[in-house]
């Protein structure tokens, strides 16, 4: 059981209403890899520049994460991402101090990784996401994430990619934008009608909704008293979700629902620290404990 | 088993991005009474002006709603409320074309209603809400709703009232305002620390959170493909919540959780029509069916 994680390994500047960190380890693939590694073996496929600090690479160099796919582009700079969060932490302004190597260099799948059983493909060029999926000989579960930029600039390519993946994750505003409707349920249905097979709409602190042609599932957010930094929560969700699914015997609707709760649980830990910092210390028993709490917090009995 | 419902019976002008209705039956007590009447017997305590149309009164005059407490103030005008909803229907501008009799006339509890077993007190003067509760000889469950105006203008009176009620309902922005924190979980805890005994934070389409000193519960919103008008959803929640609790043998934490789902279910129907229109045709079997759907939509199995 192995999960291919692709996306950005980046250096982030993050400012919340309460604190600020500069030049810290970040990126979609970083968070997704650390989350998936709680459940399965991870193969990380990403690029960094020559400036990528050895100390940051060392933090990713841990049992369960294969870093042979983390390539250094000679003469290149590591991508950088900046975010400033508003008071309620649900909205943010983002910018790119350095677009870096992650945009121009899309590393191909190493041939020896064709036997990878699962894929968690961070937001990126939808055509590239498709190439990676095609490179896998018999994947059991595949997930693609996307962002506004690709919805706007490559809608047809994105639709084609969604048809090839088992799951696509979008946040609420992206779902509304993709489907041109304010209703989350209708947006999910529109994405299914467009050929997506499993749609996860991430609702931030409000949880997540999932739709496939056979199932609809809604989960509230895990209630947190303190959110330090929402960065990476969506990526940790995707990593936890696919990491868990990679370990199940058969991917049933019930397992997908569990995977959503595992993803939400992993994400809930992520926001307790800046960037991926909490994920670096998180353990599977902690995840299981919170999963049980999640269940207790949401249980209600049958009606009349 | 009887539920005292107090609050506004009003005439509303409502505009959504998709449609507009003018001079239609509205008001917090109207929606709460219709919702509570799905579960228990309702005693409606409210005032209207001489201009209140007989046709509107006739719509409230139904088995299960005692209208002897709906008083016409001679020479007075019925209160009017206007709302214009934004594109995502989560935010609105409100105004008062006619403040009317509901502000100046706070009808006392008829002495013969002292034996009412439950109370659902719509947003209003917190001192008046307390007087109503004190007038009940042995209420089993009491709920008070409030709005921004009273949080700002009568915070101390409101806090005192919250200490006297079993449950207080607020929406998300009101909770944040009351507790001066962006975290919903922390806002709930702060309200409990201030003496509230049961806090329901209504999250609109995202569901609800409940906190007491012994329990915390989170429920997602029921996924709707089409929302016509969110007006009255919070009042229908309160009415359904208390209406159900009024019928249970013992008010246990498990029953409170069920009541939140009944409230959410009732609210989810409400937004399918303008103002209380859907509530006027809603039946208990429809509520039970959606409650079962709610359960199916949110169920997930135990983890490892």
């Amino acid at each position: 059981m192995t999960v291919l994680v692709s996306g950005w390994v980046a250096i982030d500047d993050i400012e919340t209403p309460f604190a600020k960190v500069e030049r810290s380890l970040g990126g979609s693939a970083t968070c997704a890899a650390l989350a998936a590694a709680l459940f399965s073996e991870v193969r990380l496929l990403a690029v960094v520049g020559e400036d990528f600090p050895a100390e940051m690479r060392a933090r990713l160099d841990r049992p369960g994460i294969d870093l042979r796919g983390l390539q250094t582009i000679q003469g290149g700079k590591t991508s950088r991402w900046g975010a400033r969060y508003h008071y309620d932490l649900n909205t943010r302004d983002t910018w790119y101090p350095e677009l870096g190597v992650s945009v121009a260099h899309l590393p191909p799948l190493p041939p020896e990784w064709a036997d990878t059983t699962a894929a968690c493909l961070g937001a990126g060029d939808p055509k590239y996401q498709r190439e990676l999926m095609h490179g896998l000989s018999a994947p059991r579960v595949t997930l693609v994430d996307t962002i506004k930029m690709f919805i706007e600039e490559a809608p047809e390519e994105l639709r084609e990619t969604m048809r090839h993946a088992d799951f696509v994750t979008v946040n609420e505003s992206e779902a509304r934008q993709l489907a041109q409707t304010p209703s989350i349920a209708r947006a999910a249905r529109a994405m299914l009608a467009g050929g997506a097979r499993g749609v996860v709409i991430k609702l931030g602190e409000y949880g997540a909704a999932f739709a496939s042609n056979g199932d609809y599932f809604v989960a509230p957010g895990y209630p947190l008293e303190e959110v330090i930094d929402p960065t990476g929560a969506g990526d940790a969700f995707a990593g936890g979700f696919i990491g868990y699914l990679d370990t199940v015997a058969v991917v049933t609707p019930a397992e997908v629902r569990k995977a959503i709760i595992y993803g939400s649980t992993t994400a809930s830990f992520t926001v307790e620290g800046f960037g991926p910092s909490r994920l670096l210390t998180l353990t599977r028993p902690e995840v299981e404990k919170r999963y049980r709490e999640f269940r207790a917090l949401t249980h209600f009995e049958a009606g009349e």
Side-chain angles (χ1 to χ4, degrees), chain A:
Chain A
M1 300 297 146
T2 42
V3 181
L4 173 72
V5 173
S6 81
W8 280 33
V9 170
I11 299 175
D12 289 358
D13 294 333
I14 299 165
E15 191 177 335
T16 74
F18 319 108
K20 192 173 172 175
V21 298
E22 284 180 333
R23 301 194 66 85
S24 68
L25 176 63
S28 58
T30 298
C31 293
L34 290 167
L38 288 159
F39 301 89
S40 189
E41 299 285 315
V42 168
R43 291 169 168 175
L44 180 60
L45 186 63
V47 291
V48 291
E50 283 185 324
D51 59 338
F52 190 64
E55 165 271 318
M56 288 191 188
R57 174 181 284 267
R59 282 203 260 164
L60 287 168
D61 194 4
R62 43 170 58 207
I65 301 185
D66 185 340
L67 286 188
R68 283 175 300 172
L70 180 60
Q71 301 161 35
T72 302
I73 304 297
Q74 296 307 315
K77 283 203 159 186
T78 303
S79 296
R80 294 189 59 196
W81 184 82
R84 188 176 295 117
Y85 288 89
H86 305 163
Y87 175 68
D88 70 0
L89 295 171
N90 286 325
T91 49
R92 69 185 176 201
D93 307 315
T94 59
W95 66 95
Y96 296 87
E98 175 74 58
L99 270 179
V101 293
S102 301
V103 175
H105 295 265
L106 301 175
L109 185 76
E112 67 273 24
W113 282 5
D115 64 351
T116 312
T117 50
C120 180
L121 309 181
D125 177 354
K127 217 167 150 182
Y128 171 63
Q129 291 176 320
R130 224 152 60 224
E131 277 168 25
L132 291 180
M133 286 189 282
H134 287 162
L136 301 176
S137 51
R140 299 174 70 235
V141 276
T142 55
L143 176 149
V144 296
D145 187 34
T146 197
I147 51 171
K148 201 164 180 267
M149 185 170 77
F150 301 104
I151 295 170
E152 284 169 0
E153 292 177 12
E156 284 314 313
E157 288 292 349
L158 177 60
R159 252 178 276 274
E160 183 62 19
T161 296
M162 290 197 309
R163 280 191 280 269
H164 284 77
D166 295 310
F167 302 99
V168 56
T169 52
V170 286
N171 69 28
E172 191 174 356
S173 64
E174 290 157 359
R176 291 193 162 123
Q177 188 184 14
L178 254 169
Q180 311 266 304
T181 164
S183 159
I184 292 164
R186 198 186 279 182
R189 192 161 59 112
M191 288 172 72
L192 294 176
R197 290 184 266 158
V199 176
V200 179
I201 301 180
K202 298 170 287 181
L203 305 174
E205 68 170 311
Y206 304 114
F210 168 75
S212 69
N213 283 313
D215 198 21
Y216 201 99
F217 176 58
V218 280
Y222 181 87
L224 289 170
E225 292 222 354
E226 188 167 45
V227 172
I228 299 292
D229 170 24
T231 304
D235 306 309
F237 175 93
F241 175 86
I242 282 294
Y244 173 73
L245 279 184
D246 187 40
T247 67
V248 305
V250 186
V251 179
T252 60
E255 292 291 7
V256 171
R257 286 178 173 219
K258 286 178 67 175
I260 286 164
I261 302 299
Y262 276 114
S264 300
T265 301
T266 316
S268 76
F269 281 109
T270 308
V271 304
E272 291 180 351
F274 266 99
S277 60
R278 183 66 183 89
L279 284 168
L280 288 162
T281 63
L282 186 61
T283 65
R284 181 69 186 267
E286 287 178 298
V287 172
E288 292 299 334
K289 181 165 180 278
R290 186 166 288 183
Y291 185 107
R292 287 192 294 275
E293 286 165 2
F294 218 127
R295 217 157 166 259
L297 282 164
T298 57
H299 174 78
F300 60 93
E301 293 172 8
E304 307 293 281

